[in-house]
Amino acid sequence: MSKRRIYDVKTSGDEWVVKERGADRAVGVFENKTDAVERARQIANNQDLAQVVIRKMDGTIQTEHTYGSDPFPPKG
């Protein structure tokens, strides 16, 4: 089973970054949140199992999206 790769979309100063959890460097740096979210989704769609965690300006989680074969899909 593939390990889930988690990508955070968050602010860093005046910019938005996409960073894989556990990585030292950002995958991408963007001027606006929309572009950062779009890039994170593109990256996640190319993985067997991935998650995008989108954060607000204050760092709290706004929403999460799972891509690929989720081993624990919700019922119903």
Side-chain angles (χ1 to χ4, degrees):
M1 181 182 290
S2 297
K3 181 181 173 190
R4 181 185 305 222
R5 299 176 84 167
I6 302 173
Y7 298 92
D8 287 300
V9 176
K10 57 187 176 181
T11 59
S12 177
D14 292 338
E15 301 172 315
W16 288 88
V17 297
V18 176
K19 186 174 177 187
E20 183 176 358
R21 285 204 189 151
D24 293 330
R25 297 176 54 180
V27 176
V29 179
F30 303 88
E31 290 183 15
N32 61 63
K33 186 176 186 177
T34 302
D35 291 343
V37 170
E38 180 59 31
R39 181 64 181 133
R41 288 181 176 160
Q42 289 172 351
I43 294 167
N45 272 322
N46 289 322
Q47 307 299 321
D48 290 333
L49 181 59
Q51 183 174 12
V52 174
V53 178
I54 303 166
R55 297 183 180 275
K56 298 177 188 177
M57 293 279 296
D58 66 3
T60 59
I61 295 174
Q62 176 180 338
T63 189
E64 300 177 34
H65 300 281
T66 302
Y67 298 85
S69 301
D70 189 352
F72 302 104
K75 295 181 181 178

